[in-house]
Amino acid sequence: MANQANTELLLEISGIHKRFGGLCALNDVALSINKGEIYGLIGPNGAGKTTLFNVLTGLYQPDEGKFTFKGIDLFRQKPNVVVDSGIARTFQNIRLFHNMTALENVMVGRHVRTKAGVIGAVFRNPGTRVEEAAIKARSLELLDYVGIRKHAEEHAKNLSYGDQRRLEIARALATDPQLLALDEPAAGMNGKETDDLKRLMEKIRADGVTILLIEHDVKLMMGLCDRIAVLDYGKKIAEGVPEVVKNDPRVIEAYLGATPD
Amino acid sequence: MSNNDKKLLEVKGLQVAYGGIQAVKGIDLEIKQGELVALIGANGAGKTTTLKTLVGMVKPAAGTILYDGQDTSRIPVYHYISRGLSLVPEGRGIFPRLTVEENLLMGAYYRNDKAEIQNDLARVYTLFPRLKERYKQLAGTLSGGEQQMVAMGRAILARPKLLLLDEPSMGLAPIIVQKIFEIIRQIASEGVTMLLVEQNAKLALKTASRGYVMESGKITYADSAEALLANEKVQHAYLGE
Amino acid sequence: MDIFIQQLINGLVVGSIYALIALGYTMVYGILQLINFAHGEIVMMGAMITISAISVLSATGIGLPGPVLVVGGLLIAMPITMLIGFIIERIAYRPLRNAPRLAPLITAIGISIVLQQVAVLVWKNNPRSFPDLLPHEGHNFFGAVITDLQIVIVALALLIMVGLLVMVEKTKLGRAMRAVSMNQAVAGLMGVNINYVISMTFVIGSGLGAIAGVMVGANYGLAYPTMGFMIGLKAFTAAVLGGIGNLGGAVAGGILLGIIESVGAGYLGPLTGGVLGSHYQDIFAFMVLILVLVFRPSGLLGERVAERA
Amino acid sequence: MLTFSKKNKVTAYIGMAVFAVVLAVLPFIMGATLGNTWVRNLDLAMLYIMLALGLNIVVGYAGLLDLGYIAFYAVGAYVYALLNSPHLVPLLAGTGFEWILHMPLLVVLPLAALMAGLFGVLLGSPTLKLRGDYLAIVTLGFGEIVRLFMNNLDRPINITNGPQGVNLIEPVSLFGHKFSQAITVFGVEFRSVHLYYYLFLALALMIIVVSIRLQSSRIGRAWVAIREDEIAAQAMGINTRNVKLLAFAMGASFGGVSGAMFASFQGFVSPESFILMESIVVLAMVVLGGMGHIPGVILGAILLFLTPEVLRDVVNPLQDKLLGERVVNPENLRMLLFGLALIFVMLVRPEGLWPSKRRKAELHEKDEKAAAEAAEKESAHG
Amino acid sequence: GNKEETPAAETAAPVSATAPGDVVIKIGHAAPLTGNIAHLGKDNENGVRLAIDELNTENVEIGGKKVKFEMVSEDDQADPKTATTVAQRFVDAKVAGVIGHLNSGTTIPASKIYSDAGIPQISPSATNAAYTQQGFKTAFRVIANDIAQGGALGEFAATTLKAKKVAIIDDRTAYGQGLADEFEKAAKAKGVTVVGREFTTNQATDFMAILTTIKGKKPDIIFYGGMDAQAGPLTQQLKKLGVSAKVIGGDGFQTGEYIKLAGDNAEGQYASQPGMPKDKMPGFGAFNEKYKAKFNTDIQIYAPFTYDATRVMVAAMKKAGSSDPAKYLPEMAKTDYAGVTGPIKFDAKGDILGGNVTVYQVKNGVWEAVATVGGAALAPAAAPAPAPADAAAPAPAEAPK
Ligand SMILES: Nc1ncnc2c1ncn2[C@@H]1O[C@H](COP(=O)(O)OP(=O)(O)OP(=O)(O)O)[C@@H](O)[C@H]1O
Ligand SMILES: Nc1ncnc2c1ncn2[C@@H]1O[C@H](COP(=O)(O)OP(=O)(O)OP(=O)(O)O)[C@@H](O)[C@H]1O
Ligand SMILES: [Mg+2]
Ligand SMILES: [Mg+2]
């Protein structure tokens, strides 16, 4: 926002509605995220944040609205198309492939960027072998990147909670996303671990990936995000730089309460 | 005052293992009647495991647990609650396809005093007016904060003597966290003894009178809450910048 | 027209029998998410034991009236099937509660084979005729015929469903059953004796199985050790059609399946100009099942628990 | 199937060579000691290995519970039977399509696989949205539909010859030699059962290799991912619809190959061979052996197929010896023991007799999963 | 054949009752001994056992040597695949001949293996015409085939019962469908109208839907091609619907079981049985008594036929002076034997010559023969089968409907 010249629009949604039976989980939501920013999404429990993530990643089909990413129309597209276009995510309740190793988890993330099929698998032609080696190399690199390379051969479910969160991020990064959507990555982490996570996110951003972040840790959000949007009852009630959002009376009333500390 | 010095819970040398993995490696804990004690520590330190062991969901490998002066090792899981031990589990553990009221009544499952149960239910509804509004809604459709309220309300209906809370603030909006902690203080003020496990260490220590710090299955610090808050090492390891 | 009404009645009766059995499947499924493949054999056991019990009772020579004999036989059979149900859960399912999902499915199949073979050893392979003791006076209903026994079957299916619904929705045991079905660990924390609740579910389901078995035996006049498989399969299909785990769904699915079958058998021929015939009734039934599930992936009345992402 | 460290490579190669020799002479050893029934049993066991490996792709790899798998076996069998028997002759007479009959094995076999694969897709497509037990019942229904069609497509036009089945199916003929006739090479007489043994062995090995290679491929990983968590798999960009259909098609085509071989081996097919119980038995082979683990599945297939046959040899003589008469109908006893064995094995080894590491791990997952599920709020809107 | 003392057992083969010097001749028997029709399979087995036990007391000599017979009985589970496995077991066990199988669906695939091994096979009960039309020299049967039985029933329905309209039901098994088709052909040939053709399965117990359809068509009689376990409840349900048309069918439910299952409603229904009426069978009375005495149960259906089949086989061995299949097979073809079921001779294909079919009716709760239809004339006439080598398809002459 500050320097218009440098901003490049990455994701734009408008008029998004999502209903579950009688409940309107998203009501006319509009967002636009610029390339390279860390964009925060906050709001009370049940406000529709995760639902918005699900819509953005194709897991839920919105009822109406507009959704473009890099100018490509992704409205009501299948998840695999969305991922292919460059959006990846993590889940609020960690959803790893528990009985695969950490490395295999990340390798699954490479699926969308590779193409060996049955023929390749069966005949193991040179092309397939090269691709397979590349998948592995890139995956190890990513494990290293998030700092859990030493756990590569462990089953995902045996990793500690914080490492599982990191693994989920590595897996998402394996799809080569331009936009990485993280759903409460710091939930259940203590202050120290949260700080580590914050540094990881800054590194990812520095490497050119735009981040969309949901978190209830206000301190983290205020310190990390370039801009923040606030959802309440499926509606966007505020948007702007942290300082402004923090002092918005509606946000205080619906979400922050009397400021702690 | 003598009553207040009574040890409600006394844990000695507790060890717990999952298969080959030792999750708790010989810890000692003590909680006096009416106390609010916090248990903090990193992920995987063994906090949840400790709580689960206290209510019989996990069997200890070694050590003794004396509750109200009695050894609890032979009690089946479903009898703990009638002895006054109640756990609000990590992740809330509500029954998604029961209504809010049915969930609350599950807390009183072991009780047969119908009139008293109705009283307690009314009390929960005054504590959480939000739940009264929604008593017929399926609990699975509630928001996270509301579910946490259901879980706490359910525990109240069990009339516990010792209430164990496992990360009640996890994933909740700040405003809800404040509310939950208000309620925790209120329940404590009514004389219920509590052991509170929290990732939000600062908040937990501010609420509790005493605290334990757990690290890789061991207790590393045991002190008054203020002392722990002031402890630099604790600050550095758990409280963040 | 009278033919059409007759076909509907036929379907209703078969359907009610399916429903009676489907209730047993659905109860167990509801609480454990387990297909109790052995339930069909419980039904068979109910019928076979009742036949034996009746012959013992009538051999005493007291000269009891027919219906009393049947009820007497049933009262002997029910506790036995309940015990069998209890034992099955105890030895074949309980140890596998934390095992991979398909393991109990295989033990269930094993149990079903074992029960069937035990029945063959006890009763031999021949079909047994079910003693003709119940009134089956035919009543004329717009030119169609329905017998007393058939009316009883339909009424019983509905009655038992209502009874079960009341139990599950209104009683403490019912609430505990539902709680156990959602989260066993937490239900235990609340003071629910999970093993007891699950055992009760099997005991009740198996008791119902015995009733269903007697209805089947009496209605068709025979029972045999291998009868459980086919009728169990149909009933299970009905339970799924209605939405497995849902008591009302079991009855709705049962009756619907019965009517589909009977209408399929009766009208596929004329409707297709004789190209298809009653031999396509099962195909027709399965096609309907698939169609229903494609449009309602959790059955007719099943809860649509969309998995949350 | 087995991995060896480098320094063990030599021993491994020796081991493999020994194994290969054993496989090669096995039918003759069996034939000499136990009779040709056992060579025949070996042949049939091989067919079941192929079947079980096919189902393993669907159930073991992709985690889709299929109770109607035998349908694909049936499709393969009928494709072979109809194209290699006199049955269709009157129907095709004068239509100009007579050429479809009597095609060489190398054409019929892929055709059978293809047809079965097609049916796999046909079954797969309406069931993609279904989960767990709903999928089970629909696949079960599908299996029955296929069998019923085969039983009833004798009127108005006689395509399958209905319950009478298709008879006089020609045996496999390779390199101009009919497998029904014995052949003598270097003084060794290879009988029909031997020839089939080597053919089936070759096909089974092929299927094993394909299974192994699929497992550790990009596609194999996608299957496991879907089995572990379908939504997460979707979110990783896996086109779950196509990947699942692929599993159905691959599994089905293995079944088709096995079915075609069954038809030629047996010389007769009828719908009775494709009843639900067969599907259940094949499923039991996969689960009992160790889902998703190829050696386990093979072991399961061999054990479940051969146990009843062994019991046949054991139960009667044993009763005669011990009791002097046959107190219990041996056939009942055989089934009884089979049932008890199923229960016993599952109780002792719920993860299967020879599970993969991954599956072993899964066994200890439930508690955590319950907690995770509880944490997840579930929604039940109508 | 005297009492053996225990010491002998040490040296003797594991076969229990063999004196040291005897030659043991194994005769295979195959039938379903488990499953739905195990009672029929057991009955077949009993027939063979009776014959063999008798033969063993008769001091039979073959080629100048005293011989002992031993039955090797196997369960084919009525399943084609199992049947071929069983067949291979017999071949391995070097049986001299096989009595079986019970069902057409198992007899046919197994016959190929026997043919390849050159072992004679006599089926006591597989009536599907295709069995003997494969061109196998080793395949025989001692029972009239479906063409004969269906034809006889059709004729009986038309001429004796004077039926004008019939409805036909079959159970979609090889047996039921085959018989029903033959009945349909014969009935139509006699000018009877087929007003309905319905289908059920051999697992079914509920027939209300198809019977309701049939009721609307008002047939004079209802033909059922299938077994007793279905025919029983089917008959009951007809009565429930108030249909008075008579039920008629083949040997599948000409059993005591049927009468039990259908209860009072069995009264007056018809079913046929290949062969002469039991009381007219030359040796049936004596056979029946022996059977009851030995097994303490009633004959189901085919025991007399398996008994005869066993004896026919042994008679051929005696004549040839050898139990080597290659040697006695030619004698089998020349069989001329007076069995308890009647005279037995085979035609060129191995079918019984002049196989009669008797129609029975339930009267006062028991089956009573009411007519014997001359299958003798029908059987050879109806099966011209010009090209024995590869004609598996139904004979083209019968194609037009
Ligand atoms: N699949 C679904 N079916 C029905 N209702 C749903 C579904 N998914 C979400 N909802 C409802 O939509 C609303 C928004 O939920 P959502 O999970 O998006 O909230 P959230 O903002 O992420 O909350 P939290 O901070 O607690 O994670 C809630 O009321 C929820 O119950
Ligand atoms: N069911 C289980 N099986 C095997 N290991 C387990 C199981 N539950 C927990 N563990 C292991 O025991 C250790 C302690 O776990 P626990 O859940 O008690 O930690 P915690 O302190 O509650 O952590 P968190 O803050 O993440 O909740 C961890 O290493 C964990 O991986
Ligand atoms: Mg959320
Ligand atoms: Mg914890």
Side-chain angles (χ1 to χ4, degrees), chain E residues 25-395:
Chain E
I25 298 176
K26 291 185 192 161
I27 292 183
H29 166 261
L33 300 173
T34 47
N36 275 341
I37 52 169
H39 58 295
L40 299 183
K42 200 75 199 163
D43 186 48
N44 281 15
E45 190 191 88
N46 288 345
V48 177
R49 168 157 290 137
L50 188 57
I52 282 185
D53 288 356
E54 279 178 22
L55 284 164
N56 282 342
T57 59
E58 285 168 13
N59 293 323
V60 178
E61 290 194 3
I62 288 178
K65 275 197 200 132
K66 247 180 84 189
V67 296
K68 274 270 161 211
F69 292 96
E70 185 197 329
M71 174 176 69
V72 186
S73 185
E74 293 278 358
D75 176 18
D76 66 20
Q77 298 168 355
D79 165 47
K81 176 166 56 60
T82 313
T84 54
T85 304
V86 163
Q88 185 66 47
R89 287 177 74 85
F90 286 151
V91 174
D92 279 1
K94 303 216 164 42
V95 298
V98 175
I99 310 298
H101 299 209
L102 192 153
N103 313 67
S104 297
T106 49
T107 304
I108 293 173
S111 65
K112 182 162 163 280
I113 292 175
Y114 300 131
S115 166
D116 288 348
I119 295 176
Q121 169 194 17
I122 306 178
S123 173
S125 49
T127 52
N128 194 310
Y131 166 50
T132 49
Q133 286 172 358
Q134 303 174 96
F136 296 153
K137 287 203 180 56
T138 46
F140 299 90
R141 70 177 134 209
V142 289
I143 198 160
N145 69 16
D146 286 345
I147 301 177
Q149 196 178 179
L153 281 166
E155 185 179 312
F156 177 80
T159 47
T160 311
L161 296 182
K162 311 241 176 313
K164 295 273 170 298
K165 296 191 283 182
V166 299
I168 301 176
I169 306 172
D170 78 63
D171 66 357
R172 301 313 290 165
T173 62
Y175 164 75
Q177 184 240 12
L179 192 61
D181 281 359
E182 294 305 333
F183 173 83
E184 182 170 2
K185 272 181 219 155
K188 277 184 178 162
K190 293 274 172 193
V192 180
T193 322
V194 175
V195 293
R197 180 88 206 241
E198 298 294 336
F199 309 90
T200 180
T201 74
N202 61 345
Q203 307 272 324
T205 42
D206 190 296
F207 310 95
M208 295 295 277
I210 54 175
L211 294 181
T212 301
T213 309
I214 284 174
K215 179 185 178 183
K217 307 234 170 102
K218 303 196 172 49
D220 307 326
I221 57 170
I222 295 169
F223 179 88
Y224 179 66
M227 308 304 289
D228 47 15
Q230 281 68 45
L234 184 141
T235 308
Q236 285 207 352
Q237 287 164 36
L238 264 181
K239 281 284 137 68
K240 233 179 240 175
L241 283 171
V243 179
S244 56
K246 288 272 178 283
V247 177
I248 186 169
D251 46 345
F253 65 91
Q254 201 270 327
T255 61
E257 212 70 47
Y258 170 74
I259 298 177
K260 276 191 221 150
L261 294 177
D264 298 343
N265 302 322
E267 200 61 23
Q269 317 297 5
Y270 300 92
S272 68
Q273 178 74 265
M276 286 199 262
K278 288 184 177 147
D279 52 7
K280 293 224 179 77
M281 281 183 187
F284 183 78
F287 176 80
N288 192 24
E289 270 164 32
K290 284 187 285 187
Y291 186 99
K292 276 197 174 160
K294 188 166 176 82
F295 301 112
N296 194 23
T297 170
D298 285 332
I299 294 172
Q300 296 288 343
I301 316 176
Y302 304 114
F305 293 89
T306 55
Y307 177 84
D308 273 358
T310 315
R311 287 210 163 248
V312 161
M313 192 172 273
V314 172
M317 293 177 193
K318 279 200 229 166
K319 248 199 215 150
S322 165
S323 63
D324 178 357
K327 301 230 172 79
Y328 84 86
L329 183 60
E331 290 300 332
M332 285 268 301
K334 288 186 252 166
T335 293
D336 184 356
Y337 180 84
V340 296
T341 61
I344 297 172
K345 278 186 190 173
F346 296 116
D347 68 10
K349 297 200 291 341
D351 265 324
I352 186 164
L353 265 182
N356 298 311
V357 176
T358 302
V359 181
Y360 296 78
Q361 186 177 25
V362 181
K363 286 183 184 163
N364 302 319
V366 288
W367 288 108
E368 254 179 48
V370 290
T372 299
V373 186
L378 275 168
D390 51 8

Side-chain angles (χ1 to χ4, degrees), chain A residues 161 188, chain B residues 18 21 23 42-49 90 167 199, chain D residues 367-368:
Chain A
Y161 185 87
Chain B
Y18 296 104
I21 312 156
N43 286 121
K47 307 181 294 291
T48 299
T49 305
E90 197 172 29
E167 303 207 25
Q199 280 299 354
Chain D
D367 330 302
E368 293 155 47

Side-chain angles (χ1 to χ4, degrees), chain B residues 91 96-97 140-144 147, chain D residues 367 371 374-381:
Chain B
R97 277 164 286 125
T141 64
L142 294 176
S143 81
Q147 291 187 354
Chain D
D367 330 302
E376 193 172 343
K377 62 179 168 177
E378 200 178 333
S379 330
H381 289 274

Side-chain angles (χ1 to χ4, degrees), chain C residues 175-191:
Chain C
R175 196 165 359 105
M177 282 177 168
R178 283 184 292 149
V180 167
S181 79
M182 292 169 216
N183 191 336
Q184 290 189 14
V186 178
L189 274 183
M190 297 299 120

Side-chain angles (χ1 to χ4, degrees), chain C residues 5 7 28 75-76 94 104 155 162 165 167 199 217 232 246 280:
Chain C
I5 293 175
Q7 291 294 25
V28 168
L75 287 181
I76 295 174
R94 190 177 296 179
V162 172
L165 272 177
M167 184 198 73
S199 288
N246 181 305
Y280 283 90

Side-chain angles (χ1 to χ4, degrees), chain C residues 29 100 183 244 279 305 308, chain D residues 133-134 152 332 363 374 377-378:
Chain C
Y29 190 91
N183 191 336
I244 189 156
H279 42 328
V305 190
R308 280 214 59 181
Chain D
D133 302 310
Y134 288 94
N152 292 319
N332 295 336
L363 191 54
K377 62 179 168 177
E378 200 178 333

Side-chain angles (χ1 to χ4, degrees), chain A residues 95 99 114 116 132 157, chain D residues 218 221 228-229 358 361-362:
Chain A
R95 298 191 86 133
N99 297 297
T114 46
E132 192 69 14
K157 62 171 185 193
Chain D
R218 171 175 174 266
R221 274 195 304 274
E228 290 270 313
D229 187 335
R358 205 192 303 285
E362 253 170 60

